[in-house]
Amino acid sequence: AKVKEVEFVKSSNKPKDCPKDERPEFAMLGRSNVGKSSLINALVKKKEVALTSKKPGKTQLINHFLVNKSWYIVDLPGYGFANASEAARMDWSSFTKGYFLNRDTLVSVLLLIDASVPPQKIDLDCANWLGRNKIPITFVFTKCDKMKGGKAKRPDQNIRDFQELIRQNYNHQPPWIMISSVSGLGRDELLLHMSQLRNY
Ligand code: GTP
Ligand code: MG
């Protein structure tokens, strides 16, 4: 499950402009600022392959990165950005929903959940939408390094609460993993998980 090489392929502003080949891919999905772009950089051990920002709303397009010339990792715009206009939010939803419903080579969505905050309705709604549409999910709990930080941040408890809500709403239990793009926690485990899903 080693990453030997990664190359940025293209940015697409609509699903039908995405690369057309048979290589398997994984898509990073989650709220703005949850750490999607940072996780790509952590996985490939490069600082700024995917552009990150303290301000939400950094990633605006569908960005394809090709790993070891054999599989793609896809950076997507985040959802739930409070400052986005209603129009921009509508746009987000038709744009990314179109991608999910039509991308035959998608192996799994990596649904990123911020472990430093309590369960958010928008994340549960997203998981339910993907589930209803039979799109495979892996839950990736991010920012687990914040565990030892402030008293208000309780990743362990937040993750348990989230899983409980999923159990109540969902008839199967997707695989899940805890990560930190800062400490590297979970990196190797996630790469192994993705290689198992690709069957090599
Ligand atoms: P959008 O592109 O706006 O949807 O955001 P994104 O999900 O791509 O988030 P991004 O990777 O740009 O990270 C947002 C902020 O969170 C940055 O300031 C990162 O440094 C920080 N961050 C990301 N991952 C982690 C993590 O694992 N731990 C900590 N402590 N901070 C993180
Ligand atoms: Mg981003």
Side-chain angles (χ1 to χ4, degrees), residues 31-38 50-53 55 57-60 63 75-78:
R31 277 187 301 129
S32 277
N33 227 37
V34 69
K36 298 176 292 296
S37 302
S38 301
L51 298 182
T52 67
S53 166
K55 279 194 282 177
K58 178 73 183 170
T59 309
Q60 298 283 356
N63 299 296
D75 199 11
L76 293 170

Side-chain angles (χ1 to χ4, degrees), residues 28-42 48 50-60 63 75-79 81 92 112 114 116 141-147 179-185:
M28 298 284 173
L29 180 63
R31 277 187 301 129
S32 277
N33 227 37
V34 69
K36 298 176 292 296
S37 302
S38 301
L39 177 57
I40 292 181
N41 294 333
E48 284 271 285
L51 298 182
T52 67
S53 166
K54 284 196 170 64
K55 279 194 282 177
K58 178 73 183 170
T59 309
Q60 298 283 356
N63 299 296
D75 199 11
L76 293 170
Y79 55 76
F81 175 27
W92 182 89
L112 275 62
D114 185 343
S116 70
F141 293 97
T142 66
K143 307 196 183 185
C144 288
D145 56 283
K146 290 192 167 181
M147 205 152 299
I179 64 118
S180 164
S181 300
V182 172
S183 74
L185 171 83

